[in-house]
Amino acid sequence: MAEVLIVVEATREFGVKKVTLELLTLARQLGSPSAVVLGGPGAVERLSDKLAEYGAEKIYAAESEEIDGYLVAPKATVVAELVKRVQPAAVLLAASQEGKEIAGRLAVKLDNGVLSDIVDLAADGTATQVAFAGSTIVKSKVTRGLPLATLRPNSLAPAPAPATPAVEQVEVQLGAADKLTRVVERVAEQKGARPELTEASVVVSGGRGVGSADGFKLVEDLADALGGAVGASRAAVDAGYYPHQFQVGQTGKTVTPQLYIALGISGAIQHRAGMQTSKTIVAVNKADDAPIWELADFGVVGKLEEVVPQAIEEIRKRK
Amino acid sequence: MNIVVLVKQVPDSGSERSLRTDDNTVDRESANNVINEMDEYAIEEALKIKEASGGDITILTMGPDKATDTIRKALSMSRGSVFIDRAVHVVDPALHGSCAVATSKVLAAALGTLNADLVLCGAESTDGRVQVLPHMLAERLGIAALTGARKLTIDGGTLTVERQTEEGYEVITASTPAVVSVWDTINEPGYPSFKGIMAAKKKPVQTLSLADLGVAAGDVGFDGATSAVVEHAKRPPRTGGTRITNEGEGGVKLVEFLASEKFV
Ligand SMILES: Cc1cc2nc3c(=O)[nH]c(=O)nc-3n(C[C@H](O)[C@H](O)[C@H](O)COP(=O)(O)OP(=O)(O)OC[C@H]3O[C@@H](n4cnc5c(N)ncnc54)[C@H](O)[C@@H]3O)c2cc1C
Ligand SMILES: Nc1ncnc2c1ncn2[C@@H]1O[C@H](COP(=O)(O)O)[C@@H](O)[C@H]1O
């Protein structure tokens, strides 16, 4: 079976990202999954168990200080060389900022089409994308080169399938063009142990209706009671209630959790763009004519200051 | 500093958008077309740089004839007495249906004629949302890319960017020439002024065809496309479900629903 190259994403704190496990699960339907680990020395050792558990038949280890020391370009160079050598059936990355950027460079290097933010890929190379604020389903195909695509997190359920991967060291050979942008510092601002927004199975978001930065404590408490991530509408971010990296919508993150709870969010089309494909949507809003009711599976018309503390209390009682 | 700002015309994300049924491309004909929101922040950043240390600003757009509206809108942005200098519009019937790879080829060719120290663009466009163009351009031009900026500082020929990431931010740095893509956190564009709107009318807009750029028509549009939309359909809209009014039991009812769906 032909190899399918998966570019691994990981965080220092949580290790292999869930979207990478989804990629491995998807790759098993298309061929033999090979995980490409790009990072500093020791990266593979930290990640290999998890990759094996989800079916990686092979691990390509590209470990070098220079990979983390410069932005994106070195990763694209290493993967492009691998693609030329291995001739895989497909190359799949996460639809994160960096995943899309690596994919873009690969497309130019290999003169190959690229599909961004897919939610599925069939064995014949047909991808599914969700466009225009979740209103349109698009089937698309790479027509030049091999299927090269980035997968939106939470598109499928990762399933374990233990394998015993062979680890192959890959030589990292970079040119001057790969070292133009230096990474000086990486700063983590994510608070506490909450799951990452795009990967969380529960997201609790607050809007302008939350009223203040202090009011977001309530949003956080409900998220913590449900083991979820916290999100925010653009209005809440613009008002300074919550940091921008948690913004959900057209100009923020796209999330596809099992459960999305909107607190004090009207449901404008730009917000919907980022959460419309959530499995179940719940809302609390004091206005009974808010657009959010057009898509909420369950809703409480009422003040969130009254409804949410009671809900948190009730969840605690049931635990 | 010689600055080029990339500006794309897109269908307004606030109104109904669709794909054409005849050739599967974005329906730009019947749409309400506007400037890609993120690109306004790129323009504002260019104006701020010119205000602080002088320079020259060119707007570069690849788009159909009607993209002229967007170009005029871009030209009318100003900061006090700081204005944009000119625009370049790449327009050619053969460009219709171009994929991201082809678009990057055309914009790279146009940039080749403009000798920019700094190329500013939005982090993503709201129609395709592919978020690939800035790195594609850097790859083609062999220059640095500093993408996803929430802050840009310039010290002579050295650029330093705070790049937004999922976990927080990264501090990245490079020398000019470079491509910098920005998020809407980077600044706060002002309202268009009467002076700016009047000034925009007098600014030169140069149009370039594929032939002018030396790009073969077969490399772009449908003939040169590296990917294709094979079919599309509207998703059935979501429908509202149960709604209750809080009469003191709203929180408990909410949790009962969550429990019935096995979330609690
Ligand atoms: C939802 C969606 C997702 C997509 N995802 C991807 C993806 O992941 N990767 C990818 O490579 N492509 C993607 N595309 C593009 C796709 O692959 C096809 O190539 C698509 O059919 C053409 O894009 P378009 O609809 O924007 O075409 P067009 O409307 O023809 O536009 C393509 C580009 O050409 C410009 N243009 C159009 N006419 C002219 C003219 N006369 N003169 C100058 N410029 C002109 C437009 O402004 C635009 O920048 C996506 C498109 C959509 C709608
Ligand atoms: N046709 C175009 N003309 C000019 N600039 C463009 C065009 N397409 C994309 N861009 C620029 O590239 C940025 C990122 O776009 P994208 O990679 O398509 O999401 C946009 O915000 C624009 O600044």
Side-chain angles (χ1 to χ4, degrees):
Chain A
M1 247 196 310
E3 290 180 50
V4 175
L5 292 188
I6 299 298
V7 176
V8 174
E9 281 198 18
T11 63
R12 244 153 271 213
E13 234 179 308
F14 301 109
V16 180
K17 281 206 204 170
K18 191 166 121 201
V19 64
T20 297
L21 307 181
E22 293 179 46
L23 286 168
L24 285 167
T25 306
L26 180 62
R28 297 204 304 262
Q29 297 160 25
L30 308 168
S32 168
S34 297
V36 185
V37 175
L38 304 152
V44 170
E45 204 189 313
R46 278 190 297 121
L47 308 176
S48 60
D49 285 354
K50 200 78 177 178
L51 298 172
E53 187 187 337
Y54 283 81
E57 299 286 351
K58 197 167 197 176
I59 296 175
Y60 290 104
E63 297 175 308
S64 153
E65 301 286 0
E66 288 186 329
I67 286 193
D68 280 340
Y70 299 95
L71 193 73
V72 177
K75 295 184 177 173
T77 293
V78 171
V79 178
E81 287 312 310
L82 257 182
V83 171
K84 286 182 205 157
R85 180 155 67 80
V86 174
Q87 301 282 327
V91 180
L92 303 175
L93 304 93
S96 58
Q97 175 167 266
E98 188 177 90
K100 290 176 182 174
E101 293 174 341
I102 298 172
R105 281 188 182 261
L106 281 176
V108 170
K109 281 178 192 290
L110 305 168
D111 193 22
N112 194 108
V114 56
L115 298 171
S116 264
D117 223 17
I118 67 167
V119 296
D120 194 20
L121 184 65
D124 72 348
T126 305
T128 308
Q129 291 166 301
V130 184
F132 300 152
S135 68
T136 306
I137 292 269
V138 178
K139 300 269 184 194
S140 52
K141 248 183 152 151
V142 168
T143 50
R144 190 188 309 159
L146 46 81
L148 165 63
T150 58
L151 180 76
R152 179 181 288 185
N154 275 347
S155 291
L156 55 110
T164 326
V167 178
E168 185 182 319
Q169 298 296 325
V170 177
E171 207 188 329
V172 178
Q173 270 186 327
L174 304 177
D178 298 320
K179 303 188 204 172
L180 294 173
T181 306
R182 215 156 49 77
V183 179
V184 182
E185 197 185 355
R186 291 196 162 82
V187 184
E189 289 182 320
Q190 183 98 298
K191 292 176 271 179
R194 289 191 196 109
E196 193 179 300
L197 186 52
T198 54
E199 306 214 317
S201 50
V202 175
V203 174
V204 183
S205 284
R208 206 204 310 266
V210 171
S212 66
D214 287 344
F216 257 80
K217 178 81 175 45
L218 209 52
V219 181
E220 293 183 335
D221 286 348
L222 182 58
D224 291 342
L226 293 165
V230 175
S233 75
R234 179 169 187 167
V237 171
D238 284 351
Y241 300 170
Y242 221 63
H244 183 271
Q245 67 260 36
F246 299 101
Q247 184 171 313
V248 171
Q250 178 84 63
T251 54
K253 302 271 155 55
T254 301
V255 299
T256 318
Q258 295 292 316
L259 171 65
Y260 187 88
I261 303 186
L263 303 175
I265 291 178
S266 65
I269 189 157
Q270 289 84 356
H271 186 73
R272 292 183 186 196
M275 46 69 79
Q276 182 122 284
T277 49
S278 303
K279 196 87 185 296
T280 299
I281 297 173
V282 170
V284 179
N285 197 309
K286 68 175 185 203
D288 63 4
D289 58 353
I292 193 81
W293 302 127
E294 290 161 21
L295 57 160
D297 299 293
F298 184 85
V300 181
V301 182
K303 289 196 172 136
L304 60 96
E305 303 86 326
E306 290 165 15
V307 177
V308 177
Q310 190 183 63
I312 294 168
E313 188 53 39
E314 180 67 19
I315 294 167
R316 292 215 175 104
K317 265 195 235 156
R318 286 173 183 247
K319 269 184 183 164
Chain B
M1 183 158 291
N2 189 3
I3 306 170
V4 175
V5 187
L6 299 183
V7 172
K8 186 181 190 187
Q9 184 181 58
V10 296
D12 183 4
S13 61
S15 6
E16 175 83 12
R17 292 173 293 173
S18 48
L19 293 173
R20 282 163 52 161
T21 45
D22 55 349
D23 67 2
N24 294 343
T25 64
V26 176
D27 187 347
R28 299 180 194 276
E29 236 6 86
S30 62
N32 177 24
N33 293 300
V34 297
I35 185 168
N36 180 45
E37 190 191 346
M38 218 60 79
D39 302 351
E40 290 186 35
Y41 296 84
I43 298 171
E44 181 72 13
E45 197 62 20
L47 289 166
K48 281 175 70 178
I49 295 166
K50 183 173 170 184
E51 181 178 47
S53 50
D56 183 279
I57 307 174
T58 302
I59 302 290
L60 172 59
T61 295
M62 167 181 134
D65 285 329
K66 61 196 300 191
T68 346
D69 303 347
T70 297
I71 292 171
R72 285 290 162 203
K73 169 89 200 301
L75 284 171
S76 72
M77 286 180 67
S78 62
R79 266 178 85 86
S81 55
V82 179
F83 301 100
I84 303 198
D85 296 279
R86 71 187 65 77
V88 173
H89 183 183
V90 182
V91 53
D92 198 304
L95 283 167
H96 177 58
S98 293
C99 64
V101 177
T103 301
S104 72
K105 185 174 281 181
V106 174
L107 290 175
L111 285 169
T113 69
L114 293 172
N115 199 20
D117 302 303
L118 175 62
V119 179
L120 278 166
C121 62
E124 73 173 9
S125 53
T126 54
D127 52 354
R129 298 197 79 180
V130 285
Q131 222 180 98
V132 292
L133 213 78
H135 274 275
M136 283 183 162
L137 289 174
E139 179 73 38
R140 287 194 189 277
L141 298 167
I143 64 177
L146 302 96
T147 44
R150 67 176 197 189
K151 187 173 172 204
L152 167 65
T153 23
I154 302 180
D155 182 5
T158 305
L159 308 174
T160 304
V161 155
E162 271 185 30
R163 162 182 161 95
Q164 266 176 225
T165 61
E166 328 255 306
E167 287 88 27
Y169 67 95
E170 294 169 345
V171 180
I172 55 179
T173 174
S175 303
T176 54
V179 180
V180 174
S181 77
V182 307
W183 287 114
D184 50 358
T185 35
I186 194 157
N187 57 42
E188 201 47 67
Y191 290 100
S193 70
F194 180 71
K195 252 170 67 187
I197 294 165
M198 292 316 285
K201 294 199 200 311
K202 299 195 205 84
K203 299 296 176 193
V205 179
Q206 184 191 9
T207 53
L208 294 176
S209 67
L210 285 171
D212 294 333
L213 292 173
V215 175
D219 281 354
V220 300
F222 290 111
D223 289 346
T226 59
S227 60
V229 173
V230 285
E231 59 180 65
H232 58 88
K234 288 271 180 206
R235 283 173 89 233
R238 290 186 81 108
T239 45
T242 316
R243 198 183 346 157
I244 60 156
T245 300
N246 179 36
E247 278 157 0
E249 291 287 296
V252 173
K253 293 256 170 60
L254 181 84
V255 177
E256 279 168 7
F257 172 79
L258 295 181
S260 72
E261 299 279 316
K262 310 245 178 317
F263 290 117
V264 179

